Amino acid sequence: MQTPLENFIDHKSETGMQCGNYSIDIPQLKDGEQYRFHFDATACVGCHCCEVACNEQNNNPADIKWRRVGEMEGGEFPAFSQLFNSMSCNHCIDPECLIGCPTNSYIKIEETGIVIHEDDTCIGCQYCTWNCPYEVPVFHEERNIVTKCHMCHEKLDVGETPSCVQACPSGAIMIETVNIKEWLEDDIDEEGNMPFLPDARITNSTTRYTLPENMPEMKEVDEHILKPAHSELPLVFMTVLTQISLGGFFVLFLGDVMSVLGFESANWMMALLIMLPAALGLPLSALHLGRPFLALTAMKNIKTSWLSREALALGVFTLLMNIVVVMYFIEEIHISIRLLVEAITLGVGIYGIYAQSMIYRIKARPSWDRETTNIKFFGVAYIGAFLMAFFAVVFSMYDIAIPLLVLGMLGALAQMFFSLEDLRDLDTEQKNEYQLKRTQRLYNENFKNVKLFRFIALILGGVFLPLFVITLVSADSMGGASIGLFISLILVFASEISDRFLFYATVVPLGMAGGFFVGKQRG
């Protein structure tokens, strides 16, 4: 009679299980093939051995998990079902982490298809943690960079088994080869998806899943847990400040065009003050980085990364605004030359804010991936009109103050409309309804007072106070108008900062279900 150990050894040899082996025997890759994981959900017992083995192998602390186990449940007693998902990097055919990385720190090895992360060049911007619909990249706070699974490719190269495969006691994780063309044309939709995982087509994930037959409708075991995402305060201020500068510069350019027709022109001090928000905001963004001294390398991947495009465009925009300040200061420069430089500057600034908004148009974060994101990012520019109106009052340019106030009020009303539409869409959008409903809960339960303040401050500072200031300007009460406009600016700025805080804090990403024991996944 066989002992249990002998029986298990015979079972391994008969089935070709990879678990427990120090070496691995997989076919050589042919043209058009790459390595992938196969996860058998019918075999997984949820023991988390794969997580532990991965951390041991890669010397990661307990809260950094390159492989994670999620849990789902379904059915009713006694026909109750429990389902686990052990997931690491899916080594996608079109990895969003690689496409979006501003420093080209992700490499898809041509010979094997494995996606690896180059730690030395990473600046810790965490854009990949947003882009990946599976939330695979993890920010390592001790090292100030992002890290991720690399399929133990050094071990595979010498015929050794990846640690997660070797440690799994039930043989639920295996390494396979996959023909990319056949996978995309025939099998990905049926074998590449699992309950509560993002659509495999988003990144053309390669992981193959084996699921139970006649599986009941499942639900996440952690669906009752809802936490705000990271507030990203440096980015809150950077985005709002650069958008204010764009709005102010648009008004400056418009005023310079009107000066050709005989209207009073702006001066160099106004041009300088309009440039300052962007000049202050851009350095603030470096505080978001894990390695801020490498911030300039964020411009390396303008070919595919919106973050690189934003960094380059807004850097050039701020530089050109400085040149415009000098051109205002040197009055001998002909206005036609100044207008040409201003037009170029405005075009670069518009593209910079567009690139900034496109950073957040990512499928992995449904509440961001909406047209209202682009509209509201440009919408903040109305504060620039109020800022120029304030300068006009301070510099005794009364004739242009009222038109600028009206322009700012129209912008504030438009921003209010699209903000309300943004919230309404959370309740009506059908795609990714689960994540959007949870975002709505965060707005209404966790940040109810912040949301209320956002709209009260916008109404007072963007509509009622400017109306009052118009009456003061008409009555030649410039001292009162200056004070009223200053208060208005504080209110609308606080309103937009509150709204941008909510933008970051209420996002609910796609990801894996039931990750009770998942470590720090920075939101």
Side-chain angles (χ1 to χ4, degrees):
M1 183 176 177
Q2 284 187 319
T3 65
L5 178 60
E6 291 170 336
N7 183 275
F8 180 66
I9 291 173
D10 287 346
H11 175 71
K12 275 171 55 70
S13 63
E14 291 170 3
T15 59
M17 289 174 64
Q18 297 173 1
C19 70
N21 295 336
Y22 287 98
S23 61
I24 190 169
D25 183 20
I26 54 176
Q28 290 294 312
L29 289 170
K30 302 174 185 177
D31 288 342
E33 291 186 340
Q34 73 164 70
Y35 290 129
R36 73 170 175 196
F37 284 112
H38 168 223
F39 175 69
D40 186 352
T42 66
C44 180
V45 296
C47 66
H48 296 261
C49 284
C50 51
E51 286 185 2
V52 175
C54 178
N55 276 27
E56 289 287 343
Q57 172 68 36
N58 296 288
N59 197 30
N60 283 329
D63 57 1
I64 302 295
K65 296 191 184 297
W66 293 0
R67 178 167 284 278
R68 300 165 287 153
V69 176
E71 184 179 345
M72 292 152 281
E73 59 186 25
E76 295 181 2
F77 183 83
F80 175 80
S81 296
Q82 193 174 32
L83 189 69
F84 296 99
N85 177 18
S86 174
M87 188 181 70
S88 62
C89 180
N90 295 300
H91 301 282
C92 305
I93 296 166
D94 299 304
E96 287 290 338
C97 57
L98 183 150
I99 294 168
C101 179
T103 57
N104 287 320
S105 296
Y106 284 91
I107 300 167
K108 188 170 176 67
I109 302 173
E110 187 175 351
E111 295 79 10
T112 62
I114 297 171
V115 180
I116 63 172
H117 181 262
E118 189 177 62
D119 294 353
D120 291 342
T121 59
C122 178
I123 59 175
C125 70
Q126 300 152 74
Y127 188 31
C128 55
T129 68
W130 295 351
N131 270 293
C132 176
Y134 302 98
E135 296 188 285
V136 165
V138 185
F139 184 67
H140 197 305
E141 291 186 355
E142 294 177 11
R143 301 176 61 192
N144 293 316
I145 60 170
V146 168
T147 59
K148 67 173 283 293
C149 156
H150 45 57
M151 203 185 272
C152 294
H153 67 99
E154 303 98 333
K155 298 181 72 177
L156 276 178
D157 289 342
V158 294
E160 293 183 5
T161 315
S163 56
C164 57
V165 176
Q166 181 182 332
C168 179
S170 59
I173 310 171
M174 296 184 70
I175 299 292
E176 297 179 337
T177 61
V178 57
N179 182 287
I180 295 171
K181 186 173 184 294
E182 292 177 1
W183 176 246
L184 292 177
E185 292 180 355
D186 302 326
D187 302 324
I188 185 172
D189 295 316
E190 184 176 343
E191 299 181 351
N193 290 304
M194 188 171 182
F196 295 101
L197 276 187
D199 186 352
R201 289 281 184 184
I202 294 177
T203 57
N204 289 321
S205 164
T206 62
T207 300
R208 180 170 73 90
Y209 292 97
T210 297
L211 300 175
E213 295 182 2
N214 303 317
M215 185 172 58
E217 183 177 348
M218 308 301 291
K219 68 176 183 178
E220 298 177 288
V221 296
D222 63 346
E223 66 178 0
H224 61 287
I225 299 175
L226 181 61
K227 297 185 294 184
H230 197 281
S231 60
E232 309 293 359
L233 286 179
L235 297 183
V236 168
F237 282 91
M238 184 276 286
T239 53
V240 170
L241 288 170
T242 51
Q243 290 154 20
I244 290 173
S245 273
L246 177 65
F249 192 82
F250 171 74
V251 171
L252 185 78
F253 172 67
L254 195 64
D256 221 13
V257 172
M258 296 296 289
S259 70
V260 177
L261 303 176
F263 289 88
E264 190 172 2
S265 176
N267 56 50
W268 70 270
M269 290 186 66
M270 295 174 76
L272 175 66
L273 292 169
I274 283 300
M275 178 270 297
L276 286 179
L280 176 64
L282 284 180
L284 281 177
S285 65
L287 299 178
H288 164 76
L289 305 178
R291 301 164 79 182
F293 294 107
L294 297 178
L296 291 178
T297 63
M299 303 180 194
K300 287 169 63 175
N301 187 18
I302 58 173
K303 184 177 180 181
T304 64
S305 174
W306 282 111
L307 183 54
S308 288
R309 296 165 185 169
E310 177 219 29
L312 179 60
L314 290 183
V316 173
F317 174 56
T318 306
L319 175 63
L320 288 173
M321 281 197 292
N322 278 276
I323 294 173
V324 169
V325 172
V326 173
M327 296 181 78
Y328 270 97
F329 186 77
I330 304 174
E331 297 179 355
E332 290 77 10
I333 296 176
H334 196 273
I335 190 171
S336 60
I337 299 175
R338 192 171 71 206
L339 283 172
L340 176 62
V341 175
E342 285 176 334
I344 294 171
T345 304
L346 182 62
V348 172
I350 290 171
Y351 180 77
I353 298 303
Y354 174 72
Q356 186 180 81
S357 67
M358 290 304 294
I359 289 173
Y360 303 95
R361 293 300 303 273
I362 47 181
K363 294 179 181 178
R365 306 222 160 190
S367 67
W368 290 354
D369 189 24
R370 297 183 292 160
E371 289 183 2
T372 48
T373 294
N374 304 78
I375 295 170
K376 288 174 64 181
F377 269 47
F378 278 102
V380 176
Y382 77 90
I383 298 181
F386 283 139
L387 194 60
M388 286 294 283
F390 176 72
F391 296 151
V393 171
V394 170
F395 292 116
S396 302
M397 301 168 70
Y398 308 132
D399 291 342
I400 63 173
I402 291 179
L404 289 176
L405 283 167
V406 173
L407 182 63
M409 287 168 58
L410 291 174
L413 288 169
Q415 187 75 332
M416 190 183 309
F417 170 79
F418 287 111
S419 295
L420 291 170
E421 189 70 11
D422 190 46
L423 294 174
R424 188 186 69 83
D425 281 349
L426 295 175
D427 201 35
T428 59
E429 184 68 44
Q430 297 301 311
K431 188 177 181 182
N432 298 313
E433 181 181 8
Y434 178 79
Q435 284 77 21
L436 294 177
K437 291 290 188 184
R438 290 170 75 81
T439 290
Q440 187 180 50
R441 278 184 54 197
L442 286 170
Y443 268 107
N444 295 334
E445 297 174 12
N446 296 61
F447 300 111
K448 181 179 179 180
N449 291 334
V450 179
K451 184 179 75 169
L452 182 63
F453 171 80
R454 187 280 195 274
F455 285 103
I456 290 175
L458 182 56
I459 293 169
L460 290 176
V463 180
F464 289 124
L465 264 177
L467 277 174
F468 180 61
V469 169
I470 288 175
T471 61
L472 292 175
V473 172
S474 301
D476 289 330
S477 178
M478 296 308 166
S482 299
I483 296 171
L485 256 178
F486 183 73
I487 296 172
S488 175
L489 281 169
I490 292 174
L491 285 173
V492 292
F493 180 72
S495 175
E496 296 303 332
I497 290 294
S498 300
D499 187 64
R500 196 56 47 81
F501 165 80
L502 291 171
F503 175 80
Y504 288 106
T506 61
V507 66
V508 176
L510 304 177
M512 184 181 68
F516 274 125
F517 300 101
V518 173
K520 290 179 185 172
Q521 296 293 103
R522 178 175 169 129

